[in-house]
Amino acid sequence: GGVLSSTNASFINKKELLILQSQIHVQISRGEKNPVLWTAISTLAEVMKIYHAIELLETQGITSLYKYLKSLYNESFKTKVKAVKNLVADGNFKSALIKTEKLFEEKIEHPKLVELQKIINEEVQKNPSMKIIVFNQYRDNAVDLKEKLNQISNIRAEIFFGQTKKGDTGLSQKEQKEILDKFRQNEFNILVATSVGEEGLDIPKVDLVIFYEPIPSAIRTIQRRGRTGRQEKGRVIMLIAKSTRDEGYKWSAHHKEKRMYRNLNSLKNNIFSMVTNSDKKITSFINQENSSDQENKTQIKIKIFADHREKASPVIKSLLDLDIDLKLEQLETADYILSSRCGVEFKTVEDFINSIIDGRLLNQIKSLKQNFEKPIIIIQGEED
């Protein structure tokens, strides 16, 4: 009591639980000696474990739920963690474990697994050379999917996951590459992948991507989808269990993605407006005169400070050709300074990419932003 208000206790979700957990840890780290906080931390740990178990039941299947509950039960005999001991001692937990064990022994499957087997069987019958990636959040369930799919004739499935984690066995980078090479060479046709397959790896061309479950992240959803349709049209199928967390996660990702596109369109329109409304070139400033009085008119000479390391740049030659007062100095921030308010970092495409790789870019941007009210980065070259 006293940690979570009763008004929202019935509707609390995983995000709110994590925020609450973080807030309590902050209070404890500040030296608050309220014993209620320690009780709350332990109770929250129990709640998170129950939440995870329900999520496995709703979105994954009996096999992964049974493995999870059994692991908690076995851990309770060795650990001193109160959250685990209290949870396993609860009569409801014992009842859930017994029921789950019975369903596991009776080989009751999640409807999504049955549908997945049906989809893949039909697809491979239509096109035996088809390559498919099945994305699954949890390693235990991914292993189960691989085993169940390999029971179908003409299906050769392999699992693809990350390196060692929490004592489990994992795949080294060399093993990951070997699996992807075999997939590319058609030694198997179904790749069951955890989140490690979503980004950063040279995944071969695939005809179909199947989400075993929706995920609430818009970025990860886009990355999963992006594994097909690279050279030609691809297809995506998302499996959603009705009236479960699957539905909430699907709509969460959908709305986040829509918001992302709205923000990008807004940004694009703003930038386009800035470009189209700014028809002045540097020459229009050079040709300005500083008086309306015909007799006293004098030509304004533009002054630009440039970093001395830029002296070999063709930009310097162009500025000199325009009769600009150019001062080469050692600049701590920016390649060019146009005024006390405006500094410019100038990069070729190659330099821009290299500065991302070696970590310079973020520091340069931070420094530029701290020193100038109007920081500018110009990237020169063709888009690669």
Side-chain angles (χ1 to χ4, degrees):
V3 174
L4 180 66
S5 65
S6 57
T7 53
N8 62 1
S10 308
F11 307 101
I12 195 161
N13 58 34
K14 189 175 184 179
K15 183 180 177 182
E16 289 169 323
L17 287 170
L18 290 168
I19 291 170
L20 183 60
Q21 204 172 40
S22 175
Q23 288 171 346
I24 295 170
H25 277 297
V26 168
Q27 287 176 271
I28 290 171
S29 68
R30 285 176 182 162
E32 288 191 34
K33 307 224 175 192
N34 186 348
V36 171
L37 296 177
W38 292 104
T39 305
I41 282 288
S42 183
T43 305
L44 267 173
E46 284 186 65
V47 172
M48 294 294 285
K49 292 179 193 307
I50 295 165
Y51 193 102
H52 182 64
I54 294 170
E55 185 167 339
L56 291 177
L57 175 62
E58 289 185 353
T59 71
Q60 302 301 308
I62 295 298
T63 301
S64 54
L65 173 63
Y66 177 62
K67 285 183 179 178
Y68 179 63
L69 295 182
K70 198 72 179 169
S71 71
L72 287 175
Y73 179 77
N74 293 334
E75 187 186 346
S76 70
F77 294 105
K78 307 176 218 170
T79 187
K80 292 181 180 178
V81 178
K82 281 186 180 180
V84 176
K85 286 188 169 295
N86 290 344
L87 181 61
V88 171
D90 191 291
N92 290 314
F93 178 90
K94 291 175 181 175
S95 176
L97 178 57
I98 291 165
K99 287 180 180 178
T100 304
E101 191 166 29
K102 188 170 183 288
L103 291 170
F104 177 74
E105 289 168 353
E106 290 174 0
K107 296 188 171 15
I108 302 297
E109 303 290 4
H110 196 292
K112 285 199 293 189
L113 176 57
V114 178
E115 185 65 21
L116 177 68
Q117 291 170 311
K118 179 185 165 190
I119 290 168
I120 286 181
N121 189 33
E122 288 174 353
E123 293 290 342
V124 173
Q125 279 187 355
K126 284 189 285 187
N127 179 7
S129 63
M130 173 173 260
K131 278 196 179 80
I132 300 171
I133 292 182
V134 179
F135 279 110
N136 186 227
Q137 275 267 71
Y138 299 102
R139 188 180 293 189
D140 279 348
N141 207 58
V143 171
D144 187 51
L145 292 186
K146 174 204 160 186
E147 292 170 358
K148 300 287 169 54
L149 291 173
N150 276 325
Q151 293 170 8
I152 306 171
S153 59
N154 297 323
I155 297 294
R156 301 178 312 283
E158 189 54 78
I159 191 166
F160 186 76
F161 48 80
Q163 298 179 44
T164 306
K165 188 177 179 182
K166 292 184 181 176
D168 291 337
T169 54
L171 297 173
S172 66
Q173 286 186 340
K174 183 182 176 184
E175 289 170 324
Q176 288 176 347
K177 184 179 182 303
E178 286 171 358
I179 288 171
L180 294 181
D181 287 342
K182 287 178 182 177
F183 190 40
R184 192 175 286 105
Q185 292 155 14
N186 300 315
E187 291 186 34
F188 60 91
N189 53 350
I190 313 294
L191 188 71
V192 181
T194 59
S195 58
V196 72
E198 290 170 359
E199 61 175 327
L201 292 159
D202 183 20
I203 300 282
K205 170 192 164 188
V206 296
D207 307 287
L208 174 64
V209 165
I210 300 176
F211 290 42
Y212 188 75
E213 74 285 289
I215 42 177
S217 163
I219 299 292
R220 288 180 59 200
T221 299
I222 292 166
Q223 286 171 332
R224 282 186 176 190
R225 284 203 312 256
R227 290 310 188 178
T228 187
R230 296 193 167 195
Q231 283 83 27
E232 54 197 57
K233 207 168 184 179
R235 290 165 55 225
V236 175
I237 295 173
M238 189 181 289
L239 301 176
I240 301 173
K242 191 175 180 181
S243 302
T244 69
R245 283 159 173 74
D246 274 350
E247 288 190 342
Y249 290 160
K250 187 262 181 190
W251 287 111
S252 174
H254 172 80
H255 292 307
K256 285 175 185 172
E257 189 173 344
K258 288 287 183 187
R259 188 162 62 246
M260 187 190 301
Y261 286 127
R262 283 198 302 271
N263 290 339
L264 287 171
N265 282 328
S266 173
L267 186 63
K268 183 178 75 174
N269 292 336
N270 288 340
I271 291 171
F272 180 74
S273 173
M274 286 164 59
V275 171
T276 53
N277 291 336
S278 175
D279 56 357
K280 285 188 176 182
K281 296 184 178 179
I282 196 167
T283 49
S284 66
F285 289 95
I286 294 168
N287 296 330
Q288 282 182 357
E289 294 167 321
N290 71 349
S291 174
S292 56
D293 182 352
Q294 289 292 331
E295 291 182 14
N296 297 319
K297 275 186 180 177
T298 56
Q299 201 76 18
I300 293 173
K301 190 132 184 175
I302 300 292
K303 181 183 285 188
I304 292 177
F305 292 89
D307 188 78
H308 67 92
R309 287 162 293 192
E310 294 288 306
K311 62 186 176 185
S313 168
V315 177
I316 297 287
K317 183 179 181 303
S318 300
L319 292 174
L320 289 170
D321 289 345
L322 290 170
D323 194 30
I324 284 171
D325 183 7
L326 196 65
K327 303 288 185 185
L328 287 174
E329 295 185 5
Q330 183 170 340
L331 302 181
E332 289 185 18
T333 305
D335 294 321
Y336 299 90
I337 296 177
L338 309 186
S339 73
S340 60
R341 299 166 63 217
C342 184
V344 179
E345 192 74 39
F346 187 93
K347 292 184 181 297
T348 62
V349 167
E350 185 181 8
D351 185 38
F352 179 69
I353 292 167
N354 288 336
S355 66
I356 294 172
I357 293 167
D358 63 26
R360 281 180 293 133
L361 183 65
L362 289 178
N363 287 331
Q364 288 173 335
I365 291 171
K366 184 179 178 183
S367 179
L368 204 60
K369 196 165 184 292
Q370 286 173 339
N371 286 278
F372 298 100
E373 185 184 328
K374 290 184 174 290
I376 296 174
I377 294 180
I378 295 176
I379 304 167
Q380 181 195 41
E382 295 298 317
E383 183 182 356
D384 184 355

